[in-house]
Amino acid sequence: MDALARFSLAGKTAAITGGARGIGYAVAELFAGAGADIALVDLSAETGAAAAERLAGSGQRTAFHQADLREPEAATRAVEAIEAAFGRIHILVNCVGINPNTDALDIPPQEWRDVMDVNVNAQFFAAQAFARHMVRQGGGSIVAIGSNSGFTVDKPQPQSHYNASKAAVHQMVKSLAVELAPRAIRVNAVAPGYTLTEMTKLGLSKREWVEVWEEMTPMRRFADPSEIAHAVLFLASDAASYVTGTILLVDGGYTCW
């Protein structure tokens, strides 16, 4: 096979959770360009439907399924709906996540639970439901979105719950990779640094935060979502056929200090 052909997703279906905007939507655009049919899964019905409509111009089959993935039954229903519409699902990209910035001493119990519920539980329930489908179909690839925050404590913003949740995602990815490897399912994660998305909008409005982030990033800039998407494509594609259990940092060198 031609080397570049291994990056092609032609003939494959990719489900992307949190795919209505940000990194998830950038992944969807890139995957459609690489030949994949795209199924977006998102909590927001309005945003998700609009994103799927924009993707339809790629020429690939696209669909949107609204789901609250904090509920395992919702993840199962999403798999069933996508399977009915597309048949086999080859790839899952897990992009769901939230990040309120609250001082540790002031985090309300419900806010802690919400962060863990979205960032860890929803990612697991989606991975579990889609992996069950992949086992039946003979294999697949799962890519989670982790964070540089799973490796280090960011500054100056307070986010102990977010940091803990992303470290949990990384360990979950490694555990799933070990368990699912005999079933021909690869599981990896991309750990982005600061990326120009809606999630970082609050931080970008605080000049004192931005100055620290830029100083702490050797490349002295933030990532475009498309730069994260290219790393996801590698891990999802046959180009990474011998890669599993890897957390691929794409952080402009942030964690090198």
Side-chain angles (χ1 to χ4, degrees):
M1 178 185 291
D2 176 71
L4 291 180
R6 297 187 70 83
F7 288 90
S8 172
L9 302 182
K12 295 186 177 182
T13 295
I16 304 169
T17 70
R21 62 180 187 172
I23 291 172
Y25 186 74
V27 170
E29 282 191 307
L30 181 62
F31 278 24
D37 294 328
I38 306 295
L40 301 180
V41 182
D42 206 278
L43 180 60
S44 170
E46 182 178 354
T47 307
E53 185 175 348
R54 290 196 304 274
L55 282 174
S58 67
Q60 299 301 124
R61 290 190 300 163
T62 62
F64 167 68
H65 184 81
Q66 192 277 334
D68 183 347
L69 296 171
R70 294 171 295 183
E71 301 298 329
E73 296 82 5
T76 299
R77 289 194 296 270
V79 172
E80 291 171 347
I82 296 168
E83 184 176 11
F86 292 94
R88 180 175 177 179
I89 306 163
H90 303 81
I91 299 163
L92 168 67
V93 181
N94 248 333
C95 292
V96 291
I98 58 173
N99 183 16
N101 296 118
T102 308
D103 289 333
L105 299 183
D106 298 325
I107 294 174
Q110 190 56 51
E111 182 176 298
W112 179 275
R113 294 187 185 102
D114 287 343
V115 170
M116 294 300 166
D117 218 13
V118 174
N119 294 7
V120 183
N121 296 346
Q123 280 227 21
F124 175 75
F125 293 143
Q128 182 185 55
F130 281 90
R132 286 169 174 161
H133 165 89
M134 290 175 182
V135 168
R136 294 194 303 270
Q137 298 295 321
S141 176
I142 297 173
V143 184
I145 298 299
S147 174
N148 67 277
S149 304
F151 289 90
T152 188
V153 177
D154 296 280
K155 66 177 187 180
Q157 72 275 25
Q159 52 182 44
S160 59
H161 40 15
Y162 180 80
N163 296 345
S165 73
K166 289 302 184 177
V169 167
H170 296 171
Q171 191 67 2
M172 178 174 66
V173 162
K174 293 179 181 180
S175 300
L176 291 174
V178 170
E179 291 194 44
L180 296 175
R183 295 166 178 176
I185 300 172
R186 297 184 299 105
V187 187
N188 294 286
V190 171
Y194 293 103
T195 306
L196 298 171
T197 66
E198 288 293 315
M199 185 179 287
T200 58
K201 183 182 249 185
L202 172 63
L204 291 171
S205 71
K206 297 176 180 286
R207 188 62 221 171
E208 66 274 20
W209 288 16
V210 171
E211 289 175 354
V212 174
W213 296 351
E214 288 178 337
E215 194 276 330
M216 289 291 294
T217 304
M219 293 184 73
R220 295 300 176 96
R221 68 175 179 85
F222 306 137
D224 184 83
S226 65
E227 294 179 292
I228 309 303
H230 282 92
V232 176
L233 174 61
F234 164 64
L235 291 175
S237 74
D238 291 340
S241 58
Y242 196 57
V243 181
T244 198
T246 288
I247 315 299
L248 177 57
L249 277 159
V250 186
D251 67 351
Y254 184 91
T255 53
C256 291
W257 296 114

